[in-house]
Amino acid sequence: DGPRSVWNSRRPVRTPADLNGMKLRVMEGPIMVDTFKDLGAIPTPMAYPEVYMAAKQGVIDGAETPPNGLITGKVPEIAKYYSLTRHFSIPSGIAANAKWFEGLPPADQSGMHAAATEALAWYDSAYDEDNKQALAEAQKLGMQVNDVVDLDQFRKAVQPVYKKYADRVGGMALIQAVIDTK
């Protein structure tokens, strides 16, 4: 689902220090909560439908979402800043039951692999375009969008999270492989 970044009503985020004391809605889950704690924010798990009113009423300072969430969530009405922290990227994929798939003739398996590869490439391209349009629309609606140039500061700040969850998510080698992609 592409990279998620931080929006808020207080200030641009350029370094982890800019998140200090900022109350941010995060998805419910220990990795999300621990990540934002290590970045200095006050992570606040809450259901997404509650975010708009919580931000409007000042219960939270902001949240994190992919760019297209800015428009669908009406974020420019409640926040001024969107900082491209790219702190999480939720993968998209196509899955099938292994037993069923392995029971198919090899030609059908090959065709399904090719179709899935083509579909994912199309989806990634369409999703990227949707996010570009959302960023442009958010800026037209008055949001300030800033790129975070030095993502290594953020990676360094969350090293404890990598270590704490490495065994649960496939090991440090897998974490590093993910960091090294896109």
Side-chain angles (χ1 to χ4, degrees), residues 18 21 52 66 72 78 83 89 98 102 106 109 117 128-129 146 149 161:
D18 294 326
Y52 180 88
T72 59
I78 53 174
S83 302
S89 188
E102 290 165 3
Q109 289 181 23
T117 299
D128 287 347
E129 184 59 32
N146 68 285
V149 179
V161 177

Side-chain angles (χ1 to χ4, degrees), residues 7 48-57 73-75 77-78:
W7 59 262
Y48 190 73
E50 298 173 21
V51 171
Y52 180 88
M53 286 306 293
K56 189 171 184 161
Q57 295 171 347
K74 300 180 181 181
V75 174
E77 296 176 8
I78 53 174

Side-chain angles (χ1 to χ4, degrees), residues 61-141:
D61 298 309
E64 51 86 43
T65 185
N68 62 11
L70 297 173
I71 303 307
T72 59
K74 300 180 181 181
V75 174
E77 296 176 8
I78 53 174
K80 185 174 181 178
Y81 306 101
Y82 188 65
S83 302
L84 300 171
T85 56
R86 300 187 254 344
H87 54 272
F88 281 107
S89 188
I90 299 173
S92 296
I94 298 173
N97 178 286
K99 185 176 179 180
W100 171 82
F101 186 80
E102 290 165 3
L104 295 174
D108 290 350
Q109 289 181 23
S110 178
M112 290 187 78
H113 270 291
T117 299
E118 184 179 333
L120 286 171
W122 172 86
Y123 177 82
D124 285 346
S125 176
Y127 194 83
D128 287 347
E129 184 59 32
D130 187 42
N131 278 333
K132 285 179 193 173
Q133 289 177 6
L135 283 175
E137 180 69 15
Q139 288 175 304
K140 279 199 300 190
L141 293 170

